[in-house]
Amino acid sequence: MNPKKFILWMFVVSIVMLFAAMTSAYLVRRAEGNWLEFKMPAIFMYSTVVLLVSSASMHWAYRAAKKDDFGVLRTAISITFAFGLAFLVMQFLGWKDLVAQNVYFVGNPSGSFMYVFTGLHAFHLISGLLVLLFALRAAFKLKIHAKNLTQIEVCMTYWHFLDILWVYLFGFLLYFN
């Protein structure tokens, strides 16, 4: 296995374990009581759609790289990056909505978990944006092409993983909130 792909998969496994532990802690703490019920900000659903569309544009970038279509490759990576930024802005707006509902990081565990889950995912998404920037730079230098797909494959795998992770978190929080 390519060492870069191996490192990526080790990183993905560690993130999965982190969020599995946190969702387990959420369920245990919720069962203890003293749990504030609040409405999930609607913008989180829209941000989910934005992230799924970004996954499609990331796949578009990969297909372009396989065909040595460098213009489309750069465009698709740029679109993916823009959708990633839009997702982060929407997360921030979701946090503002939570504050408007008097849900804060401190004060009740339900609010704390919401901010930790969404904040940690946002942190990992920012790391994904950095990976996208490195891939975009490589695309401009023509280092990503049909005979050298490792960087775009790593980028695509991580981006799709972040999308799947968010869909899981959103569904989990929607169902158990």
Side-chain angles (χ1 to χ4, degrees), residues 48-62 76 79-80 83-84 156-164:
T48 302
V49 172
V50 165
L51 208 54
L52 290 172
V53 171
S54 78
S55 214
S57 63
M58 187 68 240
H59 189 71
W60 184 37
Y62 173 71
I79 289 170
T80 304
F83 278 121
M156 180 182 67
T157 301
Y158 188 52
W159 197 257
H160 288 329
F161 165 71
L162 291 173
D163 292 357
I164 292 166

Side-chain angles (χ1 to χ4, degrees), residues 98-143:
L98 289 171
V99 169
Q101 295 181 58
N102 294 318
V103 177
Y104 301 103
F105 181 70
V106 295
N108 192 285
S110 60
S112 299
F113 272 108
M114 178 66 77
Y115 285 103
V116 169
F117 280 145
T118 57
L120 270 176
H121 182 266
F123 172 77
H124 287 99
L125 197 102
I126 290 168
S127 71
L129 291 173
L130 292 173
V131 170
L132 282 171
L133 285 177
F134 283 112
L136 184 60
R137 189 176 113 231
F140 272 104
K141 292 183 174 186
L142 304 179
K143 291 183 177 181

Side-chain angles (χ1 to χ4, degrees), residues 1 5 31 48 60 64 67-68 72 90-91 104 107 113 120 128 138 142 147 152 162 171:
M1 178 180 245
K5 290 180 182 180
T48 302
W60 184 37
K67 296 177 184 174
D68 287 335
V72 171
M90 294 171 97
Q91 292 298 100
Y104 301 103
F113 272 108
L120 270 176
L142 304 179
K147 293 181 180 176
I152 196 73
L162 291 173

Side-chain angles (χ1 to χ4, degrees), residues 7-157:
I7 290 170
L8 170 68
W9 283 109
M10 294 303 293
F11 187 56
V12 164
V13 167
S14 68
I15 295 170
V16 166
M17 292 179 74
L18 171 70
F19 280 97
M22 288 184 3
T23 53
S24 176
Y26 179 99
L27 293 173
V28 169
R29 180 56 186 91
R30 186 173 190 267
E32 290 179 6
N34 186 26
W35 197 260
L36 175 68
E37 300 289 333
F38 57 89
K39 186 178 177 208
M40 174 82 76
I43 199 158
F44 285 168
M45 183 179 353
Y46 302 126
S47 69
T48 302
V49 172
V50 165
L51 208 54
L52 290 172
V53 171
S54 78
S55 214
S57 63
M58 187 68 240
H59 189 71
W60 184 37
Y62 173 71
R63 290 176 54 103
K66 284 177 67 174
K67 296 177 184 174
D68 287 335
D69 192 343
F70 302 111
V72 171
L73 171 62
R74 291 187 292 265
T75 299
I77 292 172
S78 299
I79 289 170
T80 304
F81 186 85
F83 278 121
L85 284 178
F87 175 84
L88 288 176
V89 169
M90 294 171 97
Q91 292 298 100
F92 179 75
L93 294 174
W95 292 341
K96 286 180 69 173
D97 187 9
L98 289 171
V99 169
Q101 295 181 58
N102 294 318
V103 177
Y104 301 103
F105 181 70
V106 295
N108 192 285
S110 60
S112 299
F113 272 108
M114 178 66 77
Y115 285 103
V116 169
F117 280 145
T118 57
L120 270 176
H121 182 266
F123 172 77
H124 287 99
L125 197 102
I126 290 168
S127 71
L129 291 173
L130 292 173
V131 170
L132 282 171
L133 285 177
F134 283 112
L136 184 60
R137 189 176 113 231
F140 272 104
K141 292 183 174 186
L142 304 179
K143 291 183 177 181
I144 297 175
H145 49 79
K147 293 181 180 176
N148 186 15
L149 294 172
T150 301
Q151 187 170 6
I152 196 73
E153 288 171 347
V154 166
C155 186
M156 180 182 67
T157 301

